[in-house]
């Protein structure tokens, strides 16, 4: 029996939501994507929130809803947005409420390849025009965010080995 939430974090495109959904099946726990939860609660897409309220207001909203999820009694698998750990006291909150925090570490090459194909859906990168520009953007962001990501209890190297491999690594490290 899992006695704390499982929190999955990492840069956008690393597969947090997909991994969490797969873990839901394996562990028979509900999985909640923080961005989807916010969209459902506000009846707006993340892009719409960014466009109408701005990034600063989005980060306040994100913090509020993260705390709501972490305070739920029913244990779940929570996948964070890529920037969530880096704002307000979000990483401290996550570490306070969970003993099972996992950072999915994915290379810049793999991330840029995945994200370039879906950049129109990602407000923070939609205006980037080339793969090399995206790689530079990701490298800079990862450098800035690594101090937060590395606070996770476990670092899971993705190495583009697939969702099943990442899930097996997470399950083997769970603290019950």
């Amino acid at each position: 029996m899992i006695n704390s939430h499982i929190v999955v974090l990492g840069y956008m495109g690393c597969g947090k939501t997909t991994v969490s959904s797969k873990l839901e099946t394996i562990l028979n726990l509900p999985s909640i994507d923080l961005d989807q939860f916010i969209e459902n609660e506000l009846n707006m897409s993340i892009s719409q929130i960014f466009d109408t309220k701005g990034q600063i207001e989005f980060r306040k909203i994100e913090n509020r809803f993260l705390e709501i999820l972490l305070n739920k009694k029913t244990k779940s698998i929570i996948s964070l947005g890529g920037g969530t750990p880096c704002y307000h006291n979000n990483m401290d909150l996550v570490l306070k409420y969970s003993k099972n925090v996992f950072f999915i570490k994915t290379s810049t090459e793999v991330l840029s390849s995945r994200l370039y194909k879906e950049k129109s859906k990602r407000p923070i990168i939609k205006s980037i025009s080339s793969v090399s520009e995206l790689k530079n953007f990701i490298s800079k962001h990862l450098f800035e965010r690594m101090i937060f990501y590395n606070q996770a209890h476990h670092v899971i190297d993705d190495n583009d080995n697939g969702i099943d491999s990442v899930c097996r690594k997470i399950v083997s490290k769970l603290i019950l």
Side-chain angles (χ1 to χ4, degrees):
M1 177 82 160
I2 303 291
N3 64 2
S4 73
H5 296 290
I6 298 167
V7 179
V8 181
L9 60 93
Y11 199 73
M12 65 177 149
C14 74
K16 300 177 296 286
T17 303
T18 308
V19 165
S20 295
S21 294
K22 180 82 173 183
L23 286 171
E24 178 177 23
T25 304
I26 295 168
L27 300 170
N28 197 27
L29 287 173
S31 82
I32 304 166
D33 177 274
L34 179 59
D35 284 347
Q36 290 173 358
F37 183 74
I38 293 168
E39 288 178 340
N40 291 341
E41 291 295 311
L42 298 182
N43 202 24
M44 295 173 79
S45 71
I46 298 300
S47 292
Q48 289 172 316
I49 298 168
F50 263 74
D51 291 345
T52 59
K53 299 179 185 288
Q55 183 173 353
I56 292 169
E57 188 59 30
F58 169 74
R59 295 302 178 187
K60 289 178 187 174
I61 292 166
E62 179 181 58
N63 174 261
R64 188 174 78 232
F65 284 112
L66 173 62
E67 196 157 6
I68 288 168
L69 289 179
L70 290 169
N71 273 302
K72 287 186 180 249
K73 297 286 183 233
T74 304
K75 300 311 173 207
S76 60
I77 304 156
I78 302 169
S79 56
L80 305 182
T84 306
C86 313
Y87 293 90
H88 299 284
N89 61 338
N90 291 343
M91 200 60 203
D92 291 337
L93 275 174
V94 165
L95 294 170
K96 176 183 170 187
Y97 283 93
S98 178
K99 302 294 180 219
N100 291 298
V101 181
F102 295 89
F103 162 38
I104 302 174
K105 187 175 181 181
T106 309
S107 73
T108 303
E109 290 73 27
V110 170
L111 290 170
S112 57
S113 169
R114 289 178 187 171
L115 288 169
Y116 194 75
K117 297 171 195 156
E118 55 184 61
K119 68 186 188 99
S120 64
K121 299 180 214 158
R122 309 272 186 169
I124 204 160
I125 61 168
K126 67 180 174 187
S127 63
I128 294 177
S129 58
S130 70
V131 175
S132 64
E133 188 183 345
L134 183 57
K135 272 187 191 175
N136 289 337
F137 179 86
I138 292 169
S139 294
K140 178 180 172 285
H141 249 184
L142 281 174
F143 178 77
E144 293 166 348
R145 292 177 174 190
M146 211 48 82
I147 191 165
F148 298 99
Y149 292 166
N150 280 328
Q151 290 178 46
H153 299 117
H154 305 283
V155 177
I156 306 296
D157 281 311
D158 175 9
N159 300 325
D160 213 19
N161 289 332
I163 299 303
D164 290 339
S165 171
V166 171
C167 289
R168 275 192 305 276
K169 290 175 186 177
I170 289 174
V171 168
S172 75
K173 294 178 183 300
L174 282 174
I175 296 172
L176 304 176

